[in-house]
Amino acid sequence: MLRATLLLVCLLAALPGRAQTVLDPALLERVRVLAETAARAAAPPNTRVAVEIGALDARLRLAPCQQIQPYLPPGMAVWGRSRIGLRCTDGVARWNVTLPVRVAVFGRAVVANGPLPAGVNLSQEQLALADIDIAAEPGAVFTDPALLIGRTLARPLGASEAVRAPALKSRQWFAAGETVQVRVAGEGFAVASEAQALSAGIEGQEVRVRFESGRIASGRAVGERRVDVLL
């Protein structure tokens, strides 16, 4: 039985396509520096970036290459689970693959002081500050608990879970029919005016307003009775 097992292992090891491509440590360091530099450019001040590099797909059999260039694929996220491109620029075959990476960004952020149900209006006692990986999940975090007082949770949070923007109910800045301050901005100019809201102003959402002249424009609700119109 032992001889049969050893024979099977040897046969499997000899099968084509099972050898995993091993990347040079110097190349992996270039990948790490590229991912870390990109993450730092988008990270808030006083944060720490850590990069964990994964492995190429074990099924890949890449032709020998004298020069491999790491690069950031267009549109690829630089936080959390991402990928770094590797292209062969000097070899028998010009291959192009991606290498998985995980980018953590550690910083101070507001977290739940204990389990919180959906619908609760946040108070100072329910919030705390902690060092977390702010890149672990999508959504902006908060660094000042005062900005969250009175906000309503849209979903439950676990103890020590970060309070992220998607977990909060959108605020209604004004109701339909109210007079709002409108800032109209374009390339090289900005003017302010008053208008009547034609719908409720929900935080971050589009809203239509009517000026005294009768002209109707679409903008975005940005604050208490405030609308931004970008031309």
Side-chain angles (χ1 to χ4, degrees), residues 169-187:
K169 284 188 176 180
S170 297
R171 290 171 287 196
Q172 180 173 323
W173 293 120
F174 48 84
E178 287 193 75
T179 298
V180 295
Q181 298 296 317
V182 181
R183 177 178 175 271
V184 181
E187 187 174 353

Side-chain angles (χ1 to χ4, degrees), residues 94-155:
R94 299 299 178 91
W95 44 260
N96 194 341
V97 298
T98 59
L99 180 66
V101 296
R102 179 179 176 274
V103 182
V105 181
F106 296 99
R108 201 85 165 151
V110 180
V111 300
N113 208 20
L116 297 175
V120 69
N121 291 326
L122 296 173
S123 64
Q124 183 69 48
E125 296 72 26
Q126 295 167 323
L127 304 172
L129 285 169
D131 290 316
I132 65 165
D133 177 10
I134 62 178
E137 296 179 19
V141 297
F142 296 84
T143 57
D144 184 0
L147 297 177
L148 295 170
I149 305 303
R151 297 294 302 272
T152 304
L153 284 182
R155 64 172 182 83

Side-chain angles (χ1 to χ4, degrees), residues 198 208-211 213-218:
L198 299 180
R208 300 175 75 210
V209 296
R210 180 190 291 117
F211 294 96
S213 64
R215 179 188 169 217
I216 294 177
S218 294

Side-chain angles (χ1 to χ4, degrees), residues 4 21 45 80 90 95 126 160 186 190 226:
T21 301
D90 182 10
W95 44 260
Q126 295 167 323
S160 300
R226 290 192 297 114

